[in-house]
Amino acid sequence: MDSRDRLELQMPPTAPFILLGRVFKKGPELCLAQPQIHLESGCFLRGGGEFRLANSGLEVFDTSGHPDLIELEENGRKKSFLVLSITQDFSIYVLFFQHKDAYQVILDGVKGGAKEKRLAAQFIPKFFKHFPDLADSAINAQLDLCEDEDVSIRRQAIKELPQFATGDNLPRVADILTQLLQSDDSAEFNLVNNALLSIFKMDAKGTLGGLFSQILQGEDIVRERAIKFLSTKLKTLPEEVMTKEVEEFILTESKKVLEDVTGEEFVLFMKILSGLKSLQTVSGRQQLVELVAEQADLEQTFNPSDTDCVDRLLQCTRQAVPLFSKNVHSTKFVTYFCEHVLPNLSSLTTLVEGLDIQLEVLKLLAEMSSFCGDMEKLESNLKKLFDKLLEYMPLPPEEAENGENAGNEEPKLQFSYVECLLYSFHQLGRKLPDFLTAKLNAEKLKDFKIRLQYFARGLQVYIRQLRLALQGKTGEALKTEENKIKVVALKITNNINVLIKDLFHIPPSYKSTVTLSWKPVQKADASQKRASEDTTSSSPPKKASAGPKRDARQIYNPPSGKYSSNLGSFSYEQRGGFRGGRGRGWGGRGNRSRGRIY
């Protein structure tokens, strides 16, 4: 506070403000000069620090700050003062609060000029606890200052708000601070964040009550920023704040919000919930999967032409995939994909430009298939998956009498699609290993093996070309966009190669393990080391050892160059493009109340 601010408090003698005295430096001590109130030697002044009037003046026992409360005794009567400030010239200004009218004078300061408001912004919270009868008036006065046109006054008022967060007032203060998150001033916004975090440590549930109140009822901008606050700040709070009771409260309130959310909000809430310690257990993960399944509305009829319906399913599935494990099954989602999505794969629509929506769906299905539990209609769903796989595994073109192709073009081999479908079929086929031999008639099995053989021959040519292109390239050379695509393409083709070999065993085998091309490679144990090297090697293939396996010898002979014209057209479609999409239409949240509601 400077001298100009101090002058605002030099009021007539009838006012409740009194200049107790002026402090001056005398040796190592601070001494009180020209006292307007007679102070007996040895009188204690108590408060935030402790002062004592000694023969030499006013001794300071605690120099960390001046006292909030001074108690003096004059002529046998006690008088109480609140210290307003010690200014730069060491003037001590006090408030003689014989009546609460004294505090009301400070509250009325919000109606004054800039200087009065700046003083009020500091003193209203400072003496708030001494006047419980004026609590509502004090909070409302401080809120007026939080909305002042002067940015310095606003910042000071916001900074002091946590001092009002006592008892039943805390949820209200949290509600107020949540509304103030809509500020576009970066300094103010940071002050609000810090204030919220400080009262979080006082009472986490009370603070959450204010935040969720605004998320459920506040304006859209406040709702958005409150959700982002939770998603970024909760993980920074210590365990003594984020107790089990607090986490249960977050889950309960989040379920209310999830009844009506956009796609982006849903993603943020899943980030919040999946980060809670109490939901890291198997039962907690299962609870989250059920929450996602409910949000995905897997009981509804799937409409492939409804972009909102498709977006909701994809957003929810993406959130569920990281939760699945050998103990938390994906059965409900895999069943829905097989029964409702695969039959409509070619009809799927999306508003996301450049996204291969069909490949996106197949990738999600492949990731989930590893954790599918017991399925009621396994044979029926495996048949749907098998039929879809056949669509992407063409028959060899018919040859004319001279040995040339009778058609004009070779079938296009879509390796990315086949990797996903073949992997999913391989995973689910483990649960019904006799599907290819007992559930298909001999003619269909023969047809499937012809398709596998044809695809495998084209695959071998492409693998050789990729390895040749990557031969000798290391380090920075492999980081170019073109070579990144080739490396991924090599992973895809090697995965398909391994899976096809398994299916050509008699009877078909489902024992091989591969890592999907877009997933990070897991550390391989000794038994998998060779397979891993096959997938990642950039060197040309080694010559086959003598005496190849009987069932593979004829299948993998590369054709005499007749696939080469198609190989250059391969492109690997990167996953992505949906994260962060709003998913407009999710719930169609109605109009909320507008304006200040605190």
Side-chain angles (χ1 to χ4, degrees):
M1 182 187 303
D2 59 26
S3 59
R4 289 174 299 174
D5 292 331
R6 175 170 54 79
L7 293 175
E8 297 300 324
L9 290 179
Q10 292 184 358
M11 299 182 178
T14 55
F17 297 99
I18 299 174
L19 176 65
L20 179 62
R22 203 167 253 110
V23 179
F24 65 90
K25 186 81 171 175
K26 182 178 181 182
E29 302 172 340
L30 290 176
C31 300
L32 184 66
Q34 302 174 347
Q36 293 184 5
I37 296 177
H38 177 67
L39 299 175
E40 297 291 343
S41 179
C43 176
F44 282 91
L45 310 181
R46 289 178 289 275
E50 188 173 278
F51 292 66
R52 183 165 64 84
L53 189 67
N55 292 332
S56 58
L58 190 68
E59 292 183 3
V60 182
F61 286 83
D62 181 1
T63 57
S64 62
H66 57 81
D68 291 332
L69 179 63
I70 294 179
E71 293 179 352
L72 302 175
E73 187 171 334
E74 184 179 25
N75 299 326
R77 297 181 62 186
K78 287 186 177 180
K79 291 187 177 182
S80 299
F81 299 87
L82 290 175
V83 173
L84 292 179
S85 66
I86 298 180
T87 61
Q88 291 178 350
D89 63 355
F90 300 112
S91 294
I92 300 179
Y93 286 89
V94 298
L95 170 65
F96 177 44
F97 65 107
Q98 191 172 15
H99 305 288
K100 66 182 180 181
D101 292 344
Y103 189 56
Q104 186 64 52
V105 172
I106 297 179
L107 300 184
D108 292 340
V110 302
K111 302 173 184 176
K115 296 175 183 178
E116 290 90 340
K117 289 179 180 178
R118 277 196 290 273
L119 292 170
Q122 299 176 57
F123 299 146
I124 290 174
K126 186 175 182 64
F127 308 124
F128 173 73
K129 61 186 177 182
H130 299 294
F131 300 97
D133 292 345
L134 293 174
D136 285 342
S137 297
I139 293 175
N140 287 331
Q142 193 76 3
L143 293 181
D144 288 338
L145 296 173
C146 289
E147 296 178 340
D148 196 83
E149 293 181 358
D150 188 323
V151 64
S152 63
I153 293 174
R154 290 202 308 270
R155 291 175 183 174
Q156 181 65 42
I158 292 170
K159 182 181 179 180
E160 304 295 341
L161 273 177
Q163 296 193 51
F164 295 92
T166 57
D168 295 338
N169 292 319
L170 190 141
R172 183 184 177 190
V173 172
D175 190 287
I176 293 165
L177 285 168
T178 304
Q179 293 183 63
L180 292 173
L181 284 170
Q182 64 187 294
S183 173
D184 292 325
D185 180 276
S186 59
E188 278 184 46
F189 184 76
N190 289 334
L191 284 171
V192 174
N193 273 266
N194 293 335
L196 275 171
L197 287 174
S198 68
I199 67 171
F200 230 116
K201 296 171 184 176
M202 301 178 197
D203 180 356
K205 281 186 67 175
T207 306
L208 286 166
L211 281 159
F212 276 103
S213 172
Q214 283 300 312
I215 289 172
L216 288 166
Q217 302 174 21
E219 295 186 45
D220 286 346
I221 182 64
V222 175
R223 174 185 173 100
E224 176 187 338
R225 294 190 178 180
I227 294 173
K228 287 183 178 178
F229 174 87
L230 290 175
S231 68
T232 56
K233 302 300 183 182
L234 285 184
K235 60 187 177 184
T236 67
L237 296 170
E239 289 187 11
E240 56 265 27
V241 174
M242 295 296 291
T243 63
K244 184 177 180 181
E245 182 183 6
V246 169
E247 292 193 348
E248 288 175 353
F249 182 80
I250 293 172
L251 178 60
T252 300
E253 294 301 303
S254 295
K255 287 179 178 179
K256 297 176 185 177
V257 179
L258 288 174
E259 293 176 3
D260 185 11
V261 290
T262 65
E264 184 179 9
E265 290 171 344
F266 173 69
V267 170
L268 289 174
F269 265 101
M270 287 307 301
K271 178 182 177 183
I272 293 168
L273 296 176
S274 60
L276 299 180
K277 185 177 179 181
S278 60
L279 295 179
Q280 301 297 318
T281 61
V282 170
S283 60
R285 295 289 177 179
Q286 186 62 53
Q287 194 173 357
L288 287 178
V289 168
E290 291 169 2
L291 194 65
V292 177
E294 182 180 345
Q295 186 70 29
D297 198 5
L298 298 182
E299 304 301 323
Q300 72 168 347
T301 301
F302 182 69
N303 183 357
S305 60
D306 183 347
T307 55
D308 189 53
C309 176
V310 174
D311 181 59
R312 175 190 289 268
L313 178 63
L314 294 186
Q315 289 277 28
C316 291
T317 306
R318 288 193 193 99
Q319 299 309 309
V321 165
L323 302 172
F324 296 136
S325 67
K326 63 180 181 180
N327 296 315
V328 181
H329 295 155
S330 58
T331 313
K332 186 178 292 188
F333 281 85
V334 173
T335 299
Y336 190 83
F337 270 59
C338 289
E339 293 181 354
H340 301 282
V341 184
L342 282 182
N344 296 292
L345 189 65
S346 60
S347 305
L348 295 178
T349 55
T350 178
L351 296 175
V352 182
E353 187 177 352
L355 178 72
D356 187 336
I357 187 68
Q358 296 179 40
L359 181 59
E360 180 77 1
V361 165
L362 295 179
K363 284 184 173 182
L364 290 171
L365 176 59
E367 290 189 56
M368 294 189 294
S369 63
S370 302
F371 305 111
C372 185
D374 296 332
M375 187 182 291
E376 288 185 10
K377 301 177 182 178
L378 177 58
E379 183 179 341
S380 171
N381 289 329
L382 199 54
K383 177 67 165 55
K384 290 182 174 69
L385 185 55
F386 178 76
D387 290 342
K388 185 58 64 176
L389 173 61
L390 291 183
E391 291 182 21
Y392 294 95
M393 300 198 74
L395 286 166
E398 295 183 4
E399 293 187 353
E401 293 182 0
N402 60 3
E404 297 296 329
N405 288 347
N408 294 324
E409 293 184 2
E410 296 283 355
K412 187 176 181 180
L413 305 182
Q414 300 192 53
F415 297 111
S416 295
Y417 285 49
V418 171
E419 179 196 18
C420 298
L421 287 164
L422 200 56
Y423 181 89
S424 301
F425 179 77
H426 192 267
Q427 293 295 317
L428 297 184
R430 294 175 177 177
K431 301 179 181 299
L432 193 62
D434 64 346
F435 176 80
L436 290 175
T437 54
K439 307 302 179 180
L440 290 182
N441 60 46
E443 195 62 34
K444 284 191 174 181
L445 179 58
K446 180 181 177 182
D447 173 81
F448 181 51
K449 288 201 171 185
I450 291 173
R451 294 171 187 267
L452 283 178
Q453 182 175 2
Y454 176 72
F455 203 95
R457 291 170 65 190
L459 197 66
Q460 289 300 310
V461 172
Y462 194 54
I463 289 175
R464 288 179 181 234
Q465 290 200 355
L466 286 171
R467 286 177 171 169
L468 187 61
L470 294 171
Q471 184 178 2
K473 290 184 173 62
T474 57
E476 293 299 320
L478 290 175
K479 295 180 181 180
T480 64
E481 198 62 33
E482 181 182 357
N483 285 333
K484 282 182 180 179
I485 292 174
K486 289 177 181 177
V487 169
V488 175
L490 187 58
K491 291 180 181 179
I492 294 173
T493 49
N494 273 313
N495 283 346
I496 298 172
N497 195 19
V498 171
L499 298 175
I500 286 179
K501 285 182 179 181
D502 249 18
L503 296 180
F504 256 105
H505 282 123
I506 300 176
S509 171
Y510 299 92
K511 295 180 180 179
S512 294
T513 301
V514 299
T515 300
L516 290 165
S517 59
W518 62 90
K519 303 288 286 182
V521 178
Q522 304 296 322
K523 288 185 178 180
D525 56 29
S527 63
Q528 295 177 320
K529 185 174 181 182
R530 182 177 175 184
S532 176
E533 288 173 349
D534 286 345
T535 304
T536 59
S537 173
S538 61
S539 59
K542 297 178 180 179
K543 290 185 179 179
S545 59
K549 291 184 179 180
R550 181 184 59 189
D551 58 348
R553 184 168 59 242
Q554 297 298 323
I555 299 169
Y556 295 100
N557 285 336
S560 56
K562 67 179 187 177
Y563 295 92
S564 59
S565 62
N566 291 329
L567 298 177
S569 64
F570 176 85
S571 63
Y572 176 66
E573 301 86 351
Q574 295 288 340
R575 180 184 183 184
F578 252 88
R579 290 192 184 279
R582 275 191 60 83
R584 299 180 190 277
W586 277 36
R589 295 189 286 107
N591 292 328
R592 291 192 172 80
S593 57
R594 293 292 184 266
R596 171 170 154 182
I597 63 172
Y598 40 68

